[in-house]
Amino acid sequence: MQSTTKYLLGTSSALVLSAAAMLSAVQPANAQATNGLYFGGSTLASEAFRQIFDCYTGATVGNDGFSFSASFNAAGPTPGLLPAACAGVDTTVQGMYAGVGSGNGFRGYISNTPSQWYSGNVTAGSVVATPFPAAQPPYVDTLNSTNFGSYPYPRVDVGLSDSPLASTLAALTTAAFSFTPSANWASGGATATTQVAVGSSSPVSFNVAAWGNPVQLPAFEVPVAIPVNVNSTLLTINSQIKSGGAIVTGGAIQLSSAQLCAIFSGLVTDWNSVATIPTLSSTGTVVNQAFDYTNVGNGVATAQPYASASLPISVAYRSDGSGTSFIITNYLKAVCPLIDPTDTYKYKSIFGAANLPSTSFSNLISNIAAARGNGPWNAASTVAGAWAGSSGSGGVQAAVGTAAAQAGRIGYVSGDFVKPYAIATNAPYAASVQNEAQRIAGVTTPATAATTLTFIPPTPAAVDLAWGDTRLTPPSATSTWANWNVYGINFASTEPLHGGVAVAGLSVLPLTNQTGAYPLSGTTFMATYSCYGNATNGQNLLNFLNWYYQYPTSDVNVKNILNNNSFSPLNKQWLTAVQAVYLTPGTGVALALASGGSADGCTGVTGGANP
C-alpha cells in the first residue's frame, strides 16, 4: 500500500492527519496503538470489521486469527489472510469490535452507554454469567492489554446493526439495564468478572441535544446465505454443484423462492417430503408442485425426494436480537405472500403480519404457530422440537455445522460464515437461490448440465448486482437518518407488473429483477452521532470513515478485504451519497467536531458524544 502521506484525509474540520501520525506509518507492524475506536453490535459484520481495523492499523489484535500474507488472493477467497499491502494508515489508532448482535449494538448506541454492549439477553433482577461479546473476533487485545485489555469499552463511537434505526426520534428509545459491578468486566486482558447482577431497566431516549442527530450509514453490501448441512447418506441432492470433488460457492443445494417459503413457514418439515407447495410461473400464475421439484441437475432431469428416508428439516435461527433475522424476514415478507395470494397455505397470515420484518425471529415462529395450529406446532412454537435458536452468527454456523449428526439442518447467516469464505472448520456450505429475474424468465428449476450453476450464489458480485438496481436510489442531501433505510426503499406506485405480479409499494432489494442479483441482500448500518465532543477521538473516527468510504483517494485493500468475506463495498451511487451528505463540510448534515471547524452536525448541540 502507498505510504500514509497519500491519505491526507478529508474531515468536517478540513484537518489532515498530524505529522506524527503520518510518520508512525513507517513503524513496524507490531508498534502498539494508543488511541481507540470502539464499535459494537452486528455479529454479521464483526469478522469483516476486525480485518478492516487490522488493515487500518497495520497490526492484528491478539488471537483474532488473521495474518498479513503475500498469499492473500484478491480474486479469493482466502479465509484468515489479510493483504500484505496493509502497511497501516494510522498505526496510532486501533479499532475494537464487540460482536454482541444488532439489537444490543443499537441499545448501547441509543443510550451512549458501553456497558449495554453485552451478548445475548438478560433479565432484570437476575445474576448472570458476564455477558461478554462473542469470542470471535476478540473484543479485547491480549497483545496490547495496557491500552485495549479492558471491557466494557470506555465509550461508544459507532453502533452497528443489520436492521435500521427507528424512523422517528420518539421511537429511538431502548430499555437499558444497569449492571453491578460497575467496574470493568475484563481487565488487563487476563482477569475477568464471572458474574454480574442485573438491575432494573428504564426507557432511555436518544439525546439529540447532547450528541446531535442520529446517523445511519450503510457500511457495505451483504448477502445473507442459506447454510445447509448436506452430510448424510440419506440425502440425494441432484442440484449440488462440485468442482474437483469440492462443493463450489452456493453449490450445496439449489432452492427456489417457493421452497424457502415452504421451509420457513413450517409447511414442509422433512427432506423426504413430496408435499404440494405453491410456486409462481413466469406470468404470475400459482402452480402447485411437489416440494422436491427443483431437485434436478447433473444429468438428472426427473425430480426425486431429497432424502431416501425421513430426515427432518431442522431450522437453526438467531435467538438474540439479530439484523440478519431482519434481512431474511424482510425477504420472506416481500416474496412469500405473492406466491400464496389466497392464503391457502397461510403465507399471507404468517409473513404478511405487522410484526415482520423483525430482528426477533421468534415473531415469525409465533406467526407460524398461530397459523398452523396444533399438531407439530404447539405453544413452544417449534416444529417437533427441530427448530432451535442460537446466539450470534457463529452460533447458527455451529448449529447447522458439518457433522453427520446435524444432517439436514438449514439456517441463515452472512456469507462470511459459510464456505468458502468462512474461517471456521465447521462452517457449512450454502445454497444458491432463485431470484425474480429467473422466475420471470421461466427459469424455475436448475439446469441439468453438470457444470452449470443456475440459481444465484451468495457472492460479492451477485449482491452488488442487487444493489445496482436503479430503483434503489440513495437519499438526497436534505435527508434524515430514516431515509438511509435501504429496506424501506420501495417500488413506486407506477412500477409495472413483474412477470404478472404487482410489486408497487414493496421493498426493492428482495424483489429486484436485475439479472444475476442475489435476492437475500442487505447491509450493515453504522450508526454514528452527528456531533463528537472530543477532538482527538472524534478526529480519529472521521479520519477512519473518510478512509473507509474512500475519500479523497481509493485504497483497494478495503474492497479486497470485503470481497474476501463475501461482501461488496457500496456501489458508486451510494458511496458518493455518503461522502457528499455526511463527510463533506458545508452540507448542513455532515459529521462534525464540537471543538472546532464546520458546525455541520453540531448545530444546537450542547456537548457532543463522548466528550
Side-chain angles (χ1 to χ4, degrees), residues 253-264 267-279 288-295 303-307 311 313 347 410:
I253 189 173
Q254 298 190 64
L255 297 173
S256 68
S257 53
Q259 288 173 307
L260 289 179
C261 295
I263 290 171
F264 283 97
L267 178 64
V268 176
T269 60
D270 199 293
W271 290 109
N272 181 243
S273 176
V274 291
T276 297
I277 67 170
T279 72
N288 292 328
Q289 302 201 58
F291 171 69
D292 63 358
Y293 79 105
T294 71
N295 193 20
Q304 66 184 96
Y306 288 103
L311 182 65
I313 299 176
Y347 289 180
I410 187 171

Side-chain angles (χ1 to χ4, degrees), residues 322-346:
S322 164
T324 317
S325 293
F326 185 95
I327 294 174
I328 191 169
T329 55
N330 184 64
Y331 166 83
L332 295 170
K333 185 181 181 78
V335 173
C336 299
L338 300 178
I339 298 175
D340 182 26
T342 61
D343 207 28
T344 302
Y345 297 89
K346 303 301 181 183

Side-chain angles (χ1 to χ4, degrees), residues 165-311:
L165 286 168
S167 60
T168 65
L169 281 173
L172 279 180
T173 61
T174 185
F177 291 91
S178 62
F179 291 98
T180 303
S182 58
N184 285 322
W185 303 338
S187 179
T191 61
T193 300
T194 57
Q195 290 183 326
V196 293
V198 182
S200 62
S201 65
S202 58
V204 177
S205 299
F206 188 91
N207 193 332
V208 176
W211 313 320
N213 286 313
V215 175
Q216 62 177 356
L217 305 174
F220 43 70
E221 303 167 3
V222 171
V224 169
I226 303 297
V228 184
N229 185 321
V230 294
N231 184 9
S232 173
T233 57
L234 296 178
L235 285 170
T236 301
I237 303 176
N238 297 321
S239 63
Q240 196 168 94
I241 304 297
K242 296 182 178 180
S243 177
I247 295 175
V248 304
T249 306
I253 189 173
Q254 298 190 64
L255 297 173
S256 68
S257 53
Q259 288 173 307
L260 289 179
C261 295
I263 290 171
F264 283 97
S265 70
L267 178 64
V268 176
T269 60
D270 199 293
W271 290 109
N272 181 243
S273 176
V274 291
T276 297
I277 67 170
T279 72
L280 272 185
S281 72
S282 60
T283 59
T285 302
V286 176
V287 179
N288 292 328
Q289 302 201 58
F291 171 69
D292 63 358
Y293 79 105
T294 71
N295 193 20
V296 296
N298 295 304
V300 178
T302 302
Q304 66 184 96
Y306 288 103
S308 57
S310 178
L311 182 65

Side-chain angles (χ1 to χ4, degrees), residues 558-593:
V558 173
K559 176 181 184 297
N560 289 343
I561 290 173
L562 291 176
N563 287 173
N564 199 48
N565 285 273
S566 85
F567 306 136
S568 177
L570 296 182
N571 63 33
K572 185 176 180 180
Q573 65 171 346
W574 280 86
L575 185 62
T576 301
V578 170
Q579 293 168 348
V581 175
Y582 287 111
L583 299 178
T584 302
T587 63
V589 291
L591 302 184
L593 304 179

